[in-house]
Amino acid sequence: AQTVTQSQPEMSVQEAETVTLSCTYDTSESNYYLFWYKQPPSRQMILVIRQEAYKQQNATENRFSVNFQKAAKSFSLKISDSQLGDTAMYFCAFTLSSGTYKYIFGTGTRLKVLA
Amino acid sequence: EPEVTQTPSHQVTQMGQEVILRCVPISNHLYFYWYRQILGQKVEFLVSFYNNEISEKSEIFDDQFSVERPDGSNFTLKIRSTKLEDSAMYFCASSLTDSTDTQYFGPGTRLTVL
């Protein structure tokens, strides 16, 4: 069975600084997708970034980038130039590329950006 | 940008009562999902729905739960006889294609069972 682990329940970062959120996962499959979702307070989860396991290149979206280490089963999210609007709960999620529709989520990391 | 919407935002019910949670997925999406998050725990998959039938369900999704797409826009989750342990945040999601496509989530319905 697949699992996703986020070992940092809470983190804080100063505005304009860089922060890295950790995520590890466990699977015996080789084809899958990984996601980071952001959930601002009282708002819905929105996709931050997505990574296909077959791609060696790390995904980037503006100030957000990932460090995908397939052998280590690690998928960390780096937020550069942190902004107050980045304050949110961040969830790491995993899904196989076939045979299932479900996402498996980690427990989340609550990030607070300090002014 | 199109969004998934859910109503109500908060539902309070008595144990044993039936509840229906409503979702409006993104209009051109074909796959629909329900997840739940008990306070302090992980977001957990309940069910996926495609072409008017359940395509996958978890062990949580027992006979007390059902899903329906009653018309071209709504997607509902019914809990027939609520239990205290059904208290959770319920998220609806939709995607254009299957699990290889990104799922877009609604804001959730907080269900409180008393």
Side-chain angles (χ1 to χ4, degrees):
Chain A
Q2 289 80 27
T3 59
V4 176
T5 301
Q6 292 179 252
S7 58
Q8 304 151 316
E10 291 186 0
M11 294 188 75
S12 61
V13 62
Q14 288 295 132
E15 201 175 3
E17 297 294 308
T18 295
V19 64
T20 299
L21 309 183
S22 301
C23 173
T24 58
Y25 59 94
D26 190 28
T27 182
S28 57
E29 304 291 331
S30 57
N31 296 317
Y32 49 87
Y33 294 81
L34 294 159
F35 308 86
W36 279 99
Y37 279 87
K38 168 186 175 180
Q39 186 181 36
S42 303
R43 299 276 310 274
Q44 59 220 80
M45 278 192 283
I46 55 175
L47 180 71
V48 174
I49 204 163
R50 162 194 165 109
Q51 175 81 43
E52 290 88 349
Y54 63 86
K55 289 187 178 178
Q56 292 186 338
Q57 187 173 9
N58 288 325
T60 63
E61 281 291 339
N62 301 315
R63 297 183 295 107
F64 299 87
S65 61
V66 296
N67 183 5
F68 173 48
Q69 301 286 330
K70 192 171 183 180
K73 297 179 183 174
S74 170
F75 183 62
S76 60
L77 175 70
K78 185 171 85 170
I79 306 174
S80 303
D81 186 26
S82 298
Q83 300 174 0
L84 295 177
D86 295 333
T87 292
M89 188 73 126
Y90 287 81
F91 292 99
C92 179
F94 167 101
T95 190
L96 293 174
S97 55
S98 65
T100 184
Y101 299 90
K102 67 181 176 187
Y103 283 11
I104 298 168
F105 285 86
T107 49
T109 296
R110 189 175 301 280
L111 177 67
K112 188 168 185 179
V113 180
L114 307 171
Chain B
E1 186 171 333
E3 288 187 339
V4 176
T5 60
Q6 290 184 243
T7 55
S9 57
H10 191 191
Q11 173 103 39
V12 180
T13 189
Q14 295 290 326
M15 190 168 55
Q17 295 296 303
E18 174 183 287
V19 295
I20 297 176
L21 310 183
R22 291 183 166 78
C23 168
V24 178
I26 294 172
S27 62
N28 63 336
H29 284 187
L30 302 176
Y31 291 77
F32 314 112
Y33 313 85
W34 284 101
Y35 291 79
R36 79 172 186 190
Q37 185 180 29
I38 295 171
L39 189 63
Q41 298 185 26
K42 294 185 179 188
V43 175
E44 301 173 289
F45 170 80
L46 292 178
V47 66
S48 62
F49 191 84
Y50 168 70
N51 199 25
N52 275 322
E53 60 182 30
I54 290 173
S55 46
E56 186 178 3
K57 62 182 180 179
S58 72
E59 60 276 7
I60 302 168
F61 194 86
D62 61 22
D63 292 344
Q64 294 294 319
F65 293 89
S66 62
V67 289
E68 190 179 30
R69 188 153 164 82
D71 53 43
S73 60
N74 289 283
F75 179 51
T76 62
L77 174 70
K78 182 192 292 186
I79 309 175
R80 287 190 185 79
S81 178
T82 50
K83 308 187 204 57
L84 295 176
E85 54 265 37
D86 293 328
S87 294
M89 183 73 95
Y90 288 81
F91 295 102
C92 173
S94 69
S95 65
L96 183 59
T97 62
D98 58 20
S99 65
T100 61
D101 196 11
T102 298
Q103 294 181 15
Y104 293 84
F105 286 81
T109 292
R110 181 168 297 285
L111 176 66
T112 302
V113 182
L114 302 176

